[in-house]
Amino acid sequence: MNSNLREIDFSSLEEIRGGGFVLFNNPQLCYAGNFSNYLADPSATQCISKRVPARKDPETCITEGYTCHEQCSSTHNCWGHSNGHCETCLNFKYQDHCVENCTTAVSSTSGLYQNDESQECEECHQECLGGCTGGVGPEHCVTCRNFILEIPLRNSTRRICVDKCPMVPEVPFTGSCTPAAGKVCDPGGDGCS
């Protein structure tokens, strides 16, 4: 029992294996996720005291201003007040934090890809500059960091961002490799002609 405990930070909890949990007599506890969601065995012991309050009533917590972050999918099932304490995200997740969208998340200069299916922000390929669309590979970059390799296909051209141009291609190469904007081509060093 801890009469002053307001939060239990189990934000990195993935699973409760080989047992259950007991929660009781924490009259000030507002931030506590739903432990039942983490049980490996749904029939494991789940003891939340009804006689002695296990935690403060969630509605009282909300009234007192102890609510989950606005990017959490719940107002009362979280491990703390920040966007890194959410059980699940309302919109997208980036490095264990819930964010409104991937363009507002701080990232490297490669940028982030907003995966709508998984609701995750994923790092674009290291050769991307300013983001990527349709995937995270070097063929999905908005802008290339170093060089643009163009390979002619039957009805189109495949554009791939590369760190350097191939010096001696292993297969016959009929495409082109040009420096990205602002880069200077050094024919001897980068294999660019």
Side-chain angles (χ1 to χ4, degrees):
M1 177 195 125
N2 184 336
S3 60
N4 297 317
L5 186 67
R6 288 225 184 264
E7 69 182 60
I8 302 174
D9 185 4
F10 280 106
S11 52
S12 60
L13 179 64
E14 292 180 14
E15 188 175 60
I16 299 172
R17 288 183 230 152
F21 65 90
V22 176
L23 183 64
F24 72 97
N25 206 9
N26 296 287
Q28 298 301 312
L29 181 62
C30 283
Y31 297 114
N34 187 348
F35 285 97
S36 302
N37 293 339
Y38 299 92
L39 289 172
D41 177 5
S43 64
T45 303
Q46 300 179 42
C47 183
I48 300 177
S49 173
K50 300 288 186 207
R51 209 167 13 108
V52 178
R55 64 180 278 192
K56 189 179 272 193
D57 174 59
E59 293 306 317
T60 304
C61 291
I62 291 169
T63 302
E64 293 176 358
Y66 296 104
T67 60
C68 299
H69 191 274
E70 64 186 23
Q71 287 303 315
C72 296
S73 60
S74 171
T75 56
H76 61 276
N77 278 336
C78 59
W79 303 108
H81 65 277
S82 81
N83 67 338
H85 290 109
C86 304
E87 275 195 320
T88 56
C89 297
L90 181 64
N91 294 300
F92 293 92
K93 189 172 195 171
Y94 175 62
Q95 294 183 342
D96 295 325
H97 288 75
C98 295
V99 294
E100 184 177 357
N101 60 57
C102 298
T103 57
T104 59
V106 177
S107 72
S108 66
T109 56
S110 296
L112 295 174
Y113 169 63
Q114 186 165 297
N115 188 328
D116 293 325
E117 190 173 312
S118 68
Q119 288 189 277
E120 297 266 342
C121 299
E122 301 171 14
E123 292 278 344
C124 296
H125 190 273
Q126 64 191 15
E127 284 303 313
C128 295
L129 188 64
C132 52
T133 58
V136 295
E139 68 278 11
H140 296 288
C141 300
V142 172
T143 306
C144 292
R145 180 178 306 280
N146 291 302
F147 295 94
I148 306 160
L149 181 65
E150 291 184 337
I151 303 167
L153 303 173
R154 244 182 233 161
N155 298 321
S156 64
T157 300
R158 184 169 183 201
R159 183 181 165 273
I160 304 170
C161 296
V162 293
D163 65 336
K164 60 185 179 183
C165 293
M167 292 289 278
V168 180
E170 296 189 14
V171 294
F173 180 68
T174 58
S176 65
C177 188
T178 57
K183 291 285 181 181
V184 176
C185 188
D186 175 11
D190 295 319
C192 201
S193 56

